[in-house]
Amino acid sequence: MHYLSQDLWFPNVDQATDDGLLAIGGDLSVERLVLAYKMGIFPWFEEGNPILWWAPNPRFVLFPEKLNISKSMRQVLRKTHYKVTVNTAFKEVVVQCSKIKRKGQYGTWITNGMIEAYQKLHKLGYAKSVEVWREGCLVGGFYGVDLNNGVFCGESMFAKESNASKLGFITFVKNSKYKLIDCQVYTSHLESLGAQEIPRKAFMRFL
């Protein structure tokens, strides 16, 4: 296991453990986060714990051309009263993601430090949010990192109404030109939309 200091570096992702843990420590500076995403690494840890850096194998991804839209979601998309926007409420989306209770998770990995760090990425053009609105209220959305390399690295999503986050995700993917959407680790929610696991080496070739 590698322990990071203030020096700006990461070990090769091939040195990650079987569950994908690569390194511990360091900081959440813009420079370190940009380097991490360029190398296929992301932070994921709980409040009060040291920063943990991950590069899982296999990697859970979505190829846009394989986006799966169910019959019921097609009906929602046709009849929707929702409005989908990009980068109009970045901080609010991240904060809402941090508040969502998730099965098997007792705290949030989106700490105050993470919120501040990703806001800095957003102001520099490295991170973006997608918002889903109904009657002027934010009811769903997600955010992630975009380093202009054709890969969108999804971080987290939330929904206050059924299908809100799915609707935002589908609309975003359909109207974007990414080669790959990085979903990081498996969720049944994203699998239903067509996401799949691929070897880490295959994922790295897209970065």
Side-chain angles (χ1 to χ4, degrees):
M1 181 54 57
H2 293 272
Y3 291 87
L4 303 179
S5 64
Q6 295 304 306
D7 295 333
L8 191 59
W9 77 283
F10 284 103
N12 189 285
V13 295
D14 291 337
Q15 298 181 44
T17 61
D18 289 343
D19 62 357
L21 182 59
L22 178 66
I24 299 174
D27 54 47
L28 294 173
S29 67
V30 167
E31 294 78 12
R32 190 181 297 276
L33 285 169
V34 170
L35 176 62
Y37 283 97
K38 285 182 177 179
M39 295 179 63
I41 303 164
F42 59 88
W44 188 21
F45 62 101
E46 292 186 358
E47 186 77 68
N49 292 336
I51 302 171
L52 304 179
W53 301 91
W54 302 81
N57 184 30
R59 193 81 168 212
F60 198 52
V61 305
L62 173 75
F63 294 98
E65 65 272 19
K66 294 185 178 180
L67 177 67
N68 178 52
I69 308 174
S70 67
K71 185 177 180 179
S72 60
M73 276 305 301
R74 290 182 189 278
Q75 292 176 342
V76 172
L77 288 164
R78 282 197 301 268
K79 299 178 181 180
T80 184
H81 297 294
Y82 295 104
K83 178 182 178 182
V84 179
T85 59
V86 176
N87 285 340
T88 61
F90 184 86
K91 182 179 180 180
E92 192 172 353
V93 168
V94 180
V95 170
Q96 289 300 324
C97 286
S98 74
K99 293 179 178 179
I100 292 294
K101 293 182 179 179
R102 307 176 196 274
K103 187 177 181 180
Q105 183 176 307
Y106 299 100
T108 178
W109 60 273
I110 307 175
T111 64
N112 288 334
M114 288 282 277
I115 294 173
E116 290 180 12
Y118 283 79
Q119 276 188 271
K120 291 177 182 178
L121 285 179
H122 174 63
K123 289 178 180 178
L124 292 172
Y126 293 127
K128 64 174 56 174
S129 62
V130 174
E131 304 86 21
V132 182
W133 309 86
R134 187 172 66 82
E135 298 178 354
C137 294
L138 184 64
V139 295
F142 61 92
Y143 73 98
V145 174
D146 181 354
L147 299 182
N148 293 315
N149 59 358
V151 176
F152 179 78
C153 302
E155 281 297 311
S156 186
M157 58 174 53
F158 81 97
K160 293 184 176 180
E161 295 184 5
S162 179
N163 293 320
S165 61
K166 275 189 177 183
L167 183 143
F169 185 79
I170 290 170
T171 302
F172 175 71
V173 174
K174 287 179 65 178
N175 290 283
S176 302
K177 295 182 179 180
Y178 293 106
K179 298 178 295 183
L180 190 72
I181 308 295
D182 175 26
C183 305
Q184 299 180 344
V185 294
Y186 173 86
T187 68
S188 57
H189 179 72
L190 290 172
E191 183 183 43
S192 71
L193 291 169
Q196 65 187 81
E197 290 182 328
I198 63 172
R200 182 170 57 212
K201 285 186 177 180
F203 169 74
M204 297 297 292
R205 288 196 287 268
F206 286 91
L207 300 179

